[in-house]
Amino acid sequence: MAEPVKVGIVGLGRWARVLTRAAQKSNTIQIVGAYSRSEEKRAAFEKETGIPAVSDLQSMLANPEIKGCILTVPNEQHLPVAEEVARAGKHVYTEKPIAATLEDGLQIAALAERYGVTVTVGHSARLMAGIREMRRRIDSGELGRVAFIEANFSNERALELTPQTWRWYRHRAPGGPLSQLAIHMFDLCYYLGGEIAQASSTASKLSPVGAEVDDQSMTVLKFKDGKLGYVGSCWTSPGIFSVRVFGSKGLMHYEIDFGVWDTPEKIHESSAFYIQRGKDGYGKREVLAEPVSDMFQAELEMFANSCRTGERSELDAENGNVAVACLYAALSSIEKNGQLVNLDEVYRDARNRVAEKSRNVA
């Protein structure tokens, strides 16, 4: 068996610990260095995980054993840190979303060709066993022609926000749950349904804490082949993650207990997973067994393979940018009172801004 791919991790908050636990279960990837600007966080992370922390990023990037870096820094830091990593010839894994803006996401995608590295984006939800099984049955034709996809990802985050938390602010968490939760579901709709053409969205603010961000959103997606999708996200309720796919021959429903999100190996123990075929009623639903899976370990092993081979995975930058394009189409639609917004226009405008920025720098 090949030696595990050695990588570093940058940004040492809660999510770094989740991914580190996943990596420590794998024989494919090994985190051997950690960096944060905070000395306190470096010390705490090293004590908790046993992974040596470094006092500056350049020390990590100068280590020839390290083939890539996992980035769990705030969204607006994804581009500058990813560019620094890529410039050093290291492969990039960045947590979702790929970036805070589509312009940044497009520039991160361009790093791959410029520096000869790969970019992996942590849209892990598509790697859950239940979602993979949905895709398998769609591809086999078991559900017939899929016409509608329904997805909801909600939790109580907006009830807990304070001005000291970055999600309080519109420019750091645009759309509130749109950019933090619904973006997972935009990726799943793309994975399960194919190319997305347009988005229409509405939002509201109902949390009593007074944060800048909206905390409710409803988005309708129109796919290029005519099917429709709905993505809902509420930030003032108990947590839920659910996906339904409606086809001419049957429908599938998948729902997990959001409380075990950080421990994905336990998801199968409490998930609701069933298929209902033809004209069979509610009572004839077939309950499906969900295999054990670990979406975080799976995505990190995809990253390790990209580091080893130089080949991009399905979690590449282009895929990550689709979800961000859906987000910004939804945000634009909210400003236009629910008007349908073309994703092609969102991409065009973002590319124009990138080009203008490049001209100004030159």
Side-chain angles (χ1 to χ4, degrees):
M1 182 180 293
E3 289 292 314
V5 172
K6 293 180 172 63
V7 301
I9 190 164
V10 183
L12 304 181
R14 181 183 73 87
W15 203 250
R17 287 162 169 78
V18 171
L19 294 183
T20 298
R21 288 197 298 270
Q24 289 174 335
K25 293 184 287 184
S26 173
N27 295 319
T28 302
I29 190 168
Q30 181 183 5
I31 300 174
V32 297
Y35 171 71
S36 167
R37 291 178 297 184
S38 166
E39 183 178 355
E40 181 181 355
K41 286 185 176 180
R42 293 197 301 266
F45 187 84
E46 183 169 343
K47 181 178 180 180
E48 180 180 331
T49 66
I51 295 170
V54 296
S55 58
D56 64 277
L57 180 57
Q58 289 308 316
S59 297
M60 177 185 294
L61 298 180
N63 184 345
E65 285 195 326
I66 290 178
K67 303 305 181 185
C69 286
I70 299 166
L71 310 186
T72 63
V73 296
N75 298 342
E76 66 270 19
Q77 295 178 26
H78 285 190
L79 174 58
V81 179
E83 184 158 17
E84 197 168 354
V85 170
R87 190 184 300 118
K90 312 296 185 183
H91 297 274
V92 176
Y93 168 101
T94 183
E95 210 15 79
K96 69 85 204 164
I98 183 172
T101 66
L102 185 55
E103 298 95 289
D104 280 7
L106 292 172
Q107 291 177 87
I108 289 175
L111 297 176
E113 184 173 350
R114 185 181 309 153
Y115 296 110
V117 299
T118 61
V119 176
T120 301
V121 184
H123 277 290
S124 56
R126 62 162 60 198
L127 303 179
M128 287 190 286
I131 298 297
R132 301 305 259 197
E133 182 64 10
M134 278 184 155
R135 172 65 184 266
R136 187 187 72 78
R137 295 190 186 225
I138 291 170
D139 290 347
S140 73
E142 186 173 350
L143 301 184
R145 181 180 182 181
V146 173
F148 190 77
I149 298 173
E150 179 182 278
N152 191 295
F153 197 175
S154 297
N155 65 26
E156 71 292 340
R157 180 77 69 184
L159 299 174
E160 303 170 347
L161 294 176
T162 70
Q164 287 69 49
T165 55
W166 62 270
R167 292 178 180 87
W168 178 279
Y169 300 99
R170 186 179 295 112
H171 72 286
R172 300 193 71 188
L178 259 177
S179 62
Q180 302 307 301
L181 298 180
I183 196 160
H184 277 290
M185 311 320 255
F186 293 145
D187 179 67
L188 289 188
C189 285
Y190 176 53
Y191 174 66
L192 295 172
E195 296 292 324
I196 298 167
Q198 297 173 303
S200 170
S201 192
T202 187
S204 183
K205 187 187 300 186
L206 296 176
S207 172
V209 301
E212 288 183 2
V213 294
D214 289 327
D215 45 54
Q216 319 293 322
S217 71
M218 298 176 66
T219 302
V220 173
L221 302 174
K222 189 166 186 179
F223 293 78
K224 288 188 176 179
D225 65 359
K227 73 169 69 69
L228 295 178
Y230 156 77
V231 174
S233 192
C234 168
W235 236 2
T236 56
S237 79
I240 189 173
F241 178 104
S242 65
V243 181
R244 283 184 178 175
V245 175
F246 297 78
S248 57
K249 296 180 180 178
L251 67 86
M252 290 187 74
H253 172 90
Y254 179 56
E255 183 175 331
I256 72 165
D257 173 6
F258 180 69
V260 296
W261 184 262
D262 287 5
T263 51
E265 69 278 5
K266 297 181 180 179
I267 285 176
H268 69 286
E269 297 174 0
S270 56
S271 62
F273 195 28
Y274 65 75
I275 185 169
Q276 181 176 317
R277 298 181 181 84
K279 298 179 181 179
D280 289 350
Y282 181 93
K284 294 185 178 180
R285 288 176 175 173
E286 178 190 344
V287 176
L288 303 173
E290 181 188 359
V292 181
S293 65
D294 186 328
M295 55 182 165
F296 304 138
Q297 182 177 337
E299 66 180 351
L300 292 178
E301 290 180 348
M302 282 185 171
F303 175 50
N305 185 63
S306 290
C307 291
R308 192 187 302 278
T309 66
E311 297 176 359
R312 60 200 237 177
S313 73
E314 69 176 84
L315 300 179
D316 62 13
E318 286 72 16
N319 175 80
N321 277 325
V322 171
V324 178
C326 288
L327 164 64
Y328 277 91
L331 290 170
S332 177
S333 177
I334 290 168
E335 293 177 356
K336 297 175 181 178
N337 296 315
Q339 178 181 321
L340 275 169
V341 173
N342 293 319
L343 264 68
D344 286 346
E345 294 176 5
V346 173
Y347 271 107
R348 182 200 63 205
D349 292 345
R351 291 188 181 106
N352 287 342
R353 286 191 289 271
V354 171
E356 182 178 358
K357 180 181 177 181
S358 298
R359 287 193 297 269
N360 291 338
V361 170

